[in-house]
Amino acid sequence: MTALPSRLAALAALSLAAASALAAPAEETLRLKFQAAGGDAAGSLQVQFIGYRDQRCPVNVQCITAGTAQALFWVQPSEGAGQVLTLSWPAAEPAKAGGYSLQLKSLEPRPNTRKPPSPADYEAVLTLHKLAGKP
């Protein structure tokens, strides 16, 4: 009968591990002002918004196409080397780094010919999606 408490302890440990794995979101939204940094809830990935190229149609102009924009990020996993990722708008294929896929959802503000935005005005919104099987 002494084996029962150790089996219960093992079962409790497995239950706690499963609960913490379920508590970690598979997808997170990250909002970063220009030059700001943030990361995933688990603390395993840091992302800094380091640059942008904005060739979208200005809000006060009527254009034939919407144009494109790119946001550049320094991505540093908790383990391994950091790298610069360029994410495009409209959203292209997600980029992968540190066990996550990253995708740019928006870059604001849009250009304006009357009052061009300053770099400090820019905010990038991206999604971080935890890749299956990655710690």
Side-chain angles (χ1 to χ4, degrees):
M1 287 287 183
T2 59
L4 185 59
S6 63
R7 286 186 182 158
L8 287 174
L11 184 58
L14 285 173
S15 296
L16 285 174
S20 66
L22 291 174
E27 185 170 287
E28 301 176 53
T29 299
L30 192 57
R31 293 179 168 277
L32 297 173
K33 295 294 274 180
F34 181 60
Q35 296 185 338
D40 67 320
S44 60
L45 190 72
Q46 284 292 309
V47 181
Q48 182 179 12
F49 180 18
I50 60 170
Y52 59 89
R53 289 183 213 108
D54 199 349
Q55 299 170 324
R56 296 175 293 173
C57 181
V59 293
N60 59 326
V61 175
Q62 193 168 19
C63 301
I64 295 172
T65 65
T68 62
Q70 295 83 35
L72 288 79
F73 300 93
W74 174 255
V75 179
Q76 179 67 58
S78 59
E79 295 181 18
Q83 67 186 72
V84 174
L85 292 181
T86 302
L87 302 178
S88 298
W89 183 94
E93 286 295 313
K96 294 181 175 109
Y100 283 86
S101 69
L102 296 86
Q103 190 165 37
L104 182 65
K105 290 300 181 183
S106 70
L107 180 64
E108 296 298 331
R110 293 232 335 255
N112 185 324
T113 60
R114 293 188 189 119
K115 184 178 183 249
S118 73
D121 295 335
Y122 276 89
E123 179 179 68
V125 177
L126 55 145
T127 56
L128 306 176
H129 183 79
K130 186 77 169 157
L131 297 173
K134 300 292 182 179

